[in-house]
Amino acid sequence: MQGALVRMMCLRDTGNLEGARQQIRDVLAVEVIPKFRREAEELRAGLDKPPPAPK
């Protein structure tokens, strides 16, 4: 899961939200531990918001 999250953040930061969402969908397709599923679902929901402004 960690590798997918790193890829998701990189894709999100470059503006590729669909690619980032796909990474989370891939995690959700195989993740069975409720805590980790919940975290992935929260991350997926967060991708519907605009990315943070650069500092």
Side-chain angles (χ1 to χ4, degrees), residues 1-44:
M1 181 167 146
Q2 187 174 4
L5 296 180
V6 170
R7 288 187 300 275
M8 182 273 303
M9 287 185 275
C10 289
L11 290 164
R12 178 201 61 198
D13 292 348
T14 61
N16 184 350
L17 294 180
E18 187 52 40
R21 286 184 191 104
Q22 185 60 50
Q23 291 297 313
I24 296 300
R25 285 192 293 267
D26 292 348
V27 168
L28 289 169
V30 297
E31 185 58 67
V32 295
I33 299 173
K35 175 185 175 184
F36 297 139
R37 282 194 64 81
R38 222 174 7 261
E39 289 174 4
E41 289 166 353
E42 289 171 6
L43 285 169
R44 183 179 59 185

